[in-house]
Amino acid sequence: MIEVKNAGYTYEGAARPALSDISLTVRRGEMLAVVGHNGSGKSTLAKLLNGLLLPQSGDVLVDGMNTKEERLILKIRQRVGMVFQNPDNQLVTTVVEEDVAFGPESIGVPPPDIRKRVDAALAMVNMQKYADRAPHMLSGGQKQRVAIAGMLAMQPEVLVMDEATAMLDPEGGADILEIMRRLNRTEGITVVMITQQMEEAALCDRMVVLFQGTLLADDAPRKIFRDEAMLVCAGLNVPAMVRLRNALNSKGAALLKEPINVEELASAIAARAKARHTQ
Amino acid sequence: MKNITLGQYFPGNSPVHRLDPRTKILLMIAYIVVIFLVNALILYVLPFAFVLFAIVLSHVPVSYVTRSLKPLRFLLVFMFIINLFFTPGETALLSFWRVNITSEALLQALFISIRLILLVGGTSLMTLTTSPIALTDGLEKLLKPLSRLRFPSHELAMMMTIALRFIPTLMEEAVKIQKAQMARGADFESGNVINRAKSMIPILVPLFISAFRRADELAMAMESRCYHGGEGRTRMRELRFGPCDAVAASIVLLVAAAIIALQYLMQNGWAAS
């Protein structure tokens, strides 16, 4: 789907490269987490994926199209949607449905089709009721849902979420995650979550860890969480549930499975308690 | 702060609301021209009746229209008095001390006030029945022929849209910054005008910095949504002239023609007598 080949990028006036020699493949239909501490280069990587930034060395290919080719850039951006951190700074117009229509209008979709796409996109994020509201009357989570709908209306194959939950309250953030999981499972949209939240990474199929512009790890979250030392070294941590499991293990209450979220941990503890009881 | 209304749009689905914004803008221009052409008091009955008719048709409460006249009241009184005292004339109505009030001056003062009231009342009816986005759309379409002369009609409309979108956001932010500065001991209330203006600097500087950051991020978000200027752009809501527009245009043109004809007759009648 997206291939990043030995990509490097250095901002003007920066002492060290934001990204150096990154190679990464985003596979069709997967949910990929890109985690890293501040300054790890994860936002730069996100901006390479839809050609907002062009790699100074190496290449980024979207379905075989190189982002460096200017005539392909609109096609690439239509395929790779991007949702940013600040919900206020990505809505353009004064009415929700007009805003969702902004993308399709830009790529010249005929008017009746825009209407259909807007309605479908708003339904996918449960915002139909707010179609004629003004964006500034919505909560942060609702604005972010509108931003997602604005991307969905372009019928993208990949959605890149650049710390899209970082500025939201916990409830709003949970809504966004739920929507992203549903879009991934039922609509087959490939999702790239750029995040610092390990709990969000735990929801994904695969995660890559960035540290100072280099790739430290690329594996299933469950496997990466085994190497707590590496994550701490990268300025990150393992999810609270993994920490709890490790603490239980070190106290001698070894759990059979490797739980990484609340449900899994609960059932592992329950299984162990049951096993004890029957002994 | 969250309930700021943009412009003063009063949502509805009346025939006036459904008119094409282009029709409304053009007819508004015709209406303004007529108001300034009229020079007989009695003839103002017609535009006045027209505005009343449009208000009734639009289902906008009359109080909304009169409310838009409220900020005008000082200007109105001021203009009336200035014209009353300082218009030269011959037929003295009242004179005391050094002040002369002539009938010409009274007439002139009345004209100015009526024109102002009709002007603001009529135009605010347009902004009450047209959403800001429809207005900018209409303006863009009307100015489109000028883009051949390199006039940036699409860019202008886009700027207006973004400005309207960000007014509430920036106002909210200004209040937030003001509170943050007050928490740091800034004083916004005391001192003379100059001191108070100076005390706005700690609000304006962070506000501008953040506005530039927002602009940068918004540009990226727009680019991510394939924005590349007005070229090849379609619209979800296409503007289309309908039968309503034809009816509205004929009504306005009829009223205008009637006023001009009556005025011509009256003037020639006076000339004959």
Side-chain angles (χ1 to χ4, degrees):
Chain A
M1 183 77 243
I2 304 180
E3 260 184 284
V4 183
K5 286 183 183 167
N6 311 100
Y9 192 90
T10 311
Y11 288 98
E12 231 170 279
R16 58 171 190 82
L19 284 179
S20 48
D21 200 31
I22 296 279
S23 290
L24 173 74
T25 307
V26 181
R27 296 181 204 120
R28 195 176 296 274
E30 76 174 338
M31 204 159 162
L32 172 70
V34 176
V35 301
H37 195 243
N38 288 337
S40 63
K42 55 189 194 308
S43 266
T44 312
L45 178 61
K47 284 173 193 134
L48 288 180
L49 297 181
N50 74 344
L52 279 177
L53 295 178
L54 300 175
Q56 287 151 345
S57 60
D59 288 297
V60 177
L61 304 177
V62 176
D63 279 337
M65 298 182 287
N66 196 318
T67 54
K68 283 176 182 165
E69 280 194 59
E70 221 179 305
R71 63 188 174 87
L72 295 175
I73 203 72
L74 289 182
K75 260 189 189 164
I76 289 170
R77 288 189 181 146
Q78 184 265 312
R79 262 178 228 206
V80 184
M82 178 103 86
V83 178
F84 296 88
Q85 185 174 10
N86 191 330
D88 264 323
N89 297 354
Q90 43 187 324
L91 305 180
V92 189
T93 70
T94 46
V95 184
V96 166
E97 60 175 10
E98 292 279 349
D99 195 85
V100 177
F102 185 81
E105 285 174 348
S106 296
I107 51 177
V109 176
D113 292 349
I114 299 181
R115 182 82 255 171
K116 271 183 229 152
R117 283 184 182 208
V118 168
D119 291 344
L122 282 173
M124 274 193 248
V125 297
N126 294 324
M127 288 292 287
Q128 308 99 303
K129 270 188 285 174
Y130 301 90
D132 53 0
R133 297 286 181 87
H136 69 271
M137 316 269 257
L138 304 178
S139 73
Q142 288 170 328
K143 280 183 222 172
Q144 209 61 316
R145 271 148 74 186
V146 174
I148 295 173
M151 286 300 158
L152 289 174
M154 296 210 291
Q155 304 182 333
E157 289 169 34
V158 186
L159 271 180
V160 180
M161 310 288 286
D162 189 358
E163 297 201 57
T165 58
M167 288 179 73
L168 306 182
D169 55 79
E171 202 185 332
D175 276 351
I176 299 296
L177 289 179
E178 182 58 43
I179 287 168
M180 295 323 291
R181 265 175 81 92
R182 181 158 45 79
L183 290 173
N184 180 254
R185 300 286 182 261
T186 62
E187 309 288 329
I189 292 174
T190 310
V191 175
V192 180
M193 301 278 289
I194 313 278
T195 183
Q196 293 200 35
Q197 302 289 317
M198 290 300 124
E199 278 71 20
E200 284 181 17
L203 295 171
C204 297
D205 307 317
R206 188 160 73 102
M207 74 188 265
V208 297
V209 182
L210 285 181
F211 179 61
Q212 294 191 345
T214 55
L215 212 81
L216 274 193
D218 175 354
D219 213 330
R222 199 180 301 273
K223 287 188 185 148
I224 285 177
F225 294 150
R226 281 178 199 154
D227 197 349
E228 193 174 345
M230 182 270 291
L231 284 172
V232 170
C233 193
L236 299 162
N237 211 331
V238 292
M241 289 310 125
V242 176
R243 254 179 289 155
L244 180 57
R245 179 242 295 170
N246 291 347
L248 282 171
N249 282 352
S250 68
K251 294 245 173 352
L255 297 174
L256 293 174
K257 294 223 176 90
E258 260 187 291
I260 57 171
N261 58 37
V262 176
E263 285 77 34
E264 285 180 15
L265 184 68
S267 48
I269 293 173
R272 200 186 138 84
K274 226 185 248 169
R276 271 230 159 140
H277 198 70
T278 48
Q279 263 173 15
Chain B
M1 192 52 77
K2 278 218 141 185
N3 303 319
I4 302 167
T5 47
L6 289 171
Q8 43 172 359
Y9 182 50
F10 182 85
N13 196 27
S14 74
V16 183
H17 283 84
R18 272 177 285 144
L19 280 183
D20 190 299
R22 286 171 295 177
T23 315
K24 281 190 259 193
I25 295 171
L26 288 178
L27 293 185
M28 192 49 56
I29 294 170
Y31 167 83
I32 292 169
V33 169
V34 167
I35 286 179
F36 280 94
L37 275 183
V38 171
N39 55 11
L41 269 187
I42 182 78
L43 284 183
Y44 277 115
V45 172
L46 278 169
F48 189 72
F50 169 75
V51 170
L52 267 187
F53 171 70
I55 291 173
V56 171
L57 204 62
S58 68
H59 300 296
V60 174
V62 181
S63 62
Y64 272 74
V65 183
T66 48
R67 202 181 301 164
S68 65
L69 292 171
K70 214 173 153 194
L72 211 68
R73 57 191 191 277
F74 296 112
L75 183 69
L76 259 177
V77 172
F78 180 72
M79 296 280 272
F80 188 84
I81 290 174
I82 290 282
N83 275 288
L84 194 60
F85 288 138
F86 296 104
T87 311
E90 262 121 51
T91 0
L93 282 180
L94 201 69
S95 80
F96 56 92
W97 190 44
R98 284 206 216 141
V99 182
N100 280 313
I101 294 177
T102 61
S103 62
E104 284 88 351
L106 182 65
L107 210 60
Q108 179 71 11
L110 278 175
F111 265 124
I112 294 286
S113 319
I114 291 174
R115 277 178 186 165
L116 217 57
I117 290 170
L118 281 176
L119 189 74
V120 173
T123 45
S124 73
L125 183 66
M126 176 173 81
T127 51
L128 277 167
T129 57
T130 322
S131 70
I133 203 146
L135 264 183
T136 48
D137 262 12
L139 217 58
E140 180 183 352
K141 274 277 164 62
L142 282 177
L143 293 174
K144 195 105 198 203
L146 288 178
S147 62
R148 282 224 190 110
L149 308 170
R150 301 260 179 103
F151 183 82
S153 59
H154 168 76
E155 286 75 9
L156 199 72
M158 184 50 82
M159 275 160 59
M160 277 170 69
T161 307
I162 293 174
L164 283 168
R165 155 75 186 80
F166 278 94
I167 286 168
T169 310
L170 290 178
M171 278 175 82
E172 227 170 279
E173 184 156 31
V175 172
K176 227 183 261 173
I177 295 171
Q178 185 177 18
K179 282 188 181 146
Q181 301 289 27
M182 275 158 84
R184 287 165 177 76
D187 180 10
F188 295 107
E189 264 114 43
S190 58
N192 57 23
V193 182
I194 294 167
N195 278 339
R196 261 194 265 177
K198 270 188 190 158
S199 71
M200 294 307 280
I201 293 171
I203 297 179
L204 290 178
V205 171
L207 191 65
F208 265 90
I209 292 173
S210 123
F212 281 121
R213 192 179 307 126
R214 280 181 198 281
D216 197 35
E217 283 182 26
L218 184 71
M220 265 198 293
M222 285 168 73
E223 273 190 61
S224 298
R225 291 162 83 178
C226 295
Y227 181 72
H228 56 284
E231 218 172 299
R233 216 178 150 70
T234 48
R235 300 301 323 238
M236 176 167 70
R237 273 182 234 276
E238 274 185 306
L239 298 181
R240 234 182 240 121
F241 290 116
C244 265
D245 294 290
V247 173
S250 356
I251 293 176
V252 173
L253 291 182
L254 264 174
V255 174
I259 290 171
I260 291 167
L262 278 172
Q263 180 146 318
Y264 180 77
L265 279 178
M266 280 168 69
Q267 270 169 354
N268 283 11
W270 282 332
S273 61

